[in-house]
Amino acid sequence: MPTITVSEAHQHIGQQVTLQGWLYNKRSSGKILFLQVRDGSGVIQAVLGATDNPDLFAKASQLSRETSFIVHGLVKEDQRASIGCELLLTDLEILHQPTEDFPIELKEQTPGFLMDHRHLWIRTGRQVPVLRIRDAAFHAFREFFHQRGFVATEAPILTGTSVEGTTTLFELDYFGEPAYLGQSGQLYLEATAMALGRVYWIGPAFRAEKSKTRKHVTEFWIAEAEMAFYDHKASLDLQEDLVRYIVTTVIEEKAAELKELDRDVELLRSEVTEPFARIDYGDAVTLLQELGHDVAFGDDFGAPQEASLGDHFGKPIFIERFPIEMKPFYMKRDPSDRSRALAADLIAPEGYGEIIGGSQRVDTEEELVSQLREAGLAVEPYQWYIDLRKFGSVPHSGFGMGLARVIAWITGVSHIREVIPFPRQINRLYP
Ligand code: 4AD
Ligand code: MG
């Protein structure tokens, strides 16, 4: 008897099989028992009649939710089931039966309670398809770059300097010296790009963000790429191809999960079909004013402004050429207007906010030192980074993507904490 997963069951119609999993839910008409068996790959209904096997019926009837077990049965075609089949139960071995009720009910519970039980909540409902979609998005990101000959690399997590400003640094004691958890791998990726040409990574990023919005966590996996000999425009074209690839690949590979989540897949697909919008920061300010927002040149856009732009364009929007004061020290100035940075943020539609931040990088020692000073940063800890401009400096560009925000947009969940197995927020370090 082959041991199979639920996702493989439809290939075994008419066969006797073994499945290993947990009891997700149970319902009985008195005469027929329906066990929902989950194994991580899916959920299958196992059916048993009282008269088929009275001993087995009695044993299965008293199982509590989340009992782990091995079940044996015959796979039968059933067009009503989303997986196209069910299991006629013939035997069952209990591995572990809980003595307490499983705390996560299959009806609504408060977000606080669910977050406190995140380690158990992830077994239920929308959490499983969301985490499976997360896997597909990570895979698509890596595959996109692998196919294009980029080299996967890593940046350190323990660092001596800031990348994205000093206000969101987590500081720690490194043998008596201050050190910081990395906010982005960018500076190190610039160095590896000068060694390897074009590089990418997905790694942890930490931000001591005081914001309690639905888009901010204090720890997230940043997905970054850095390209020697790419200018700003070439980088935007790559970012656009990347986002389109991730979204369309996930739609294709995770159709069943997206259906389980009731995601409007046609809307999602339509958002990435056409070329993305590209708008100058100044024009975005004017447009927002026309749309009734109280914003002025030099302001950062908040959630309402980003949502408005998303509604207006109905697709992702690059906001380009921010005033240089609004952005970090490493961005190259636009030669045609030195008050602006050769940078862009990519805003997702449907209110999911900024999913990518990127720029062309400063490539002369002189400009970099002057921009570090303007940012009020000490030059000495950045000496290694300045060195990259002393030995064969080349034009180069890169970007960082918040994959959790991309996955939130793809899945349609309302808060990015739902797409992270164990989210870290300003008020949450447990479980
Ligand atoms: O825009 P950010 O700060 O850019 C950088 O870190 C650059 N060094 C990246 C680069 O050029 N290599 O962060 C990049 C992206 C944002 O667009 C956003 O999607 C996400 O990371 N992000 C967050 N996601 C969740 N929680 C937070 N607190 C985030 N902060 C940024
Ligand atoms: Mg940003």
Short mmCIF file of all heavy atoms in Angstrom, two decimals, residues 31 49-54 57:
data_model
loop_
_atom_site.label_atom_id
_atom_site.label_comp_id
_atom_site.label_asym_id
_atom_site.label_seq_id
_atom_site.Cartn_x
_atom_site.Cartn_y
_atom_site.Cartn_z
N LYS A 31 -24.76 8.14 11.44
CA LYS A 31 -24.56 6.92 10.66
C LYS A 31 -23.28 6.97 9.84
O LYS A 31 -22.69 5.94 9.54
CB LYS A 31 -25.74 6.71 9.70
CG LYS A 31 -27.06 6.42 10.38
CD LYS A 31 -28.02 5.79 9.36
CE LYS A 31 -29.39 5.54 9.95
NZ LYS A 31 -30.26 6.76 9.92
N GLY A 49 -18.86 4.60 7.25
CA GLY A 49 -20.23 4.33 7.69
C GLY A 49 -20.22 3.49 8.97
O GLY A 49 -19.33 2.64 9.15
N ALA A 50 -21.22 3.70 9.85
CA ALA A 50 -21.26 3.00 11.14
C ALA A 50 -21.33 1.48 10.96
O ALA A 50 -20.74 0.72 11.74
CB ALA A 50 -22.45 3.49 11.95
N THR A 51 -22.00 1.06 9.92
CA THR A 51 -22.15 -0.38 9.75
C THR A 51 -20.98 -1.01 8.99
O THR A 51 -20.83 -2.22 9.00
CB THR A 51 -23.46 -0.69 8.98
OG1 THR A 51 -23.44 0.08 7.77
CG2 THR A 51 -24.69 -0.33 9.80
N ASP A 52 -20.14 -0.15 8.34
CA ASP A 52 -19.00 -0.70 7.58
C ASP A 52 -18.04 -1.43 8.51
O ASP A 52 -17.56 -2.52 8.21
CB ASP A 52 -18.20 0.42 6.89
CG ASP A 52 -19.03 1.20 5.88
OD1 ASP A 52 -20.10 0.69 5.51
OD2 ASP A 52 -18.60 2.31 5.50
N ASN A 53 -17.73 -0.78 9.63
CA ASN A 53 -16.74 -1.31 10.56
C ASN A 53 -17.01 -0.67 11.93
O ASN A 53 -16.46 0.37 12.25
CB ASN A 53 -15.33 -0.98 10.04
CG ASN A 53 -14.24 -1.55 10.93
OD1 ASN A 53 -14.47 -1.82 12.12
ND2 ASN A 53 -13.05 -1.72 10.36
N PRO A 54 -17.89 -1.28 12.74
CA PRO A 54 -18.34 -0.66 14.00
C PRO A 54 -17.19 -0.32 14.95
O PRO A 54 -17.22 0.73 15.60
CB PRO A 54 -19.27 -1.71 14.60
CG PRO A 54 -19.74 -2.53 13.43
CD PRO A 54 -18.61 -2.55 12.46
N PHE A 57 -15.40 2.68 13.60
CA PHE A 57 -16.32 3.82 13.70
C PHE A 57 -16.28 4.39 15.12
O PHE A 57 -16.20 5.60 15.33
CB PHE A 57 -17.74 3.38 13.34
CG PHE A 57 -18.70 4.53 13.16
CD1 PHE A 57 -18.86 5.15 11.93
CD2 PHE A 57 -19.46 5.00 14.24
CE1 PHE A 57 -19.74 6.22 11.77
CE2 PHE A 57 -20.33 6.08 14.09
CZ PHE A 57 -20.48 6.67 12.85
#
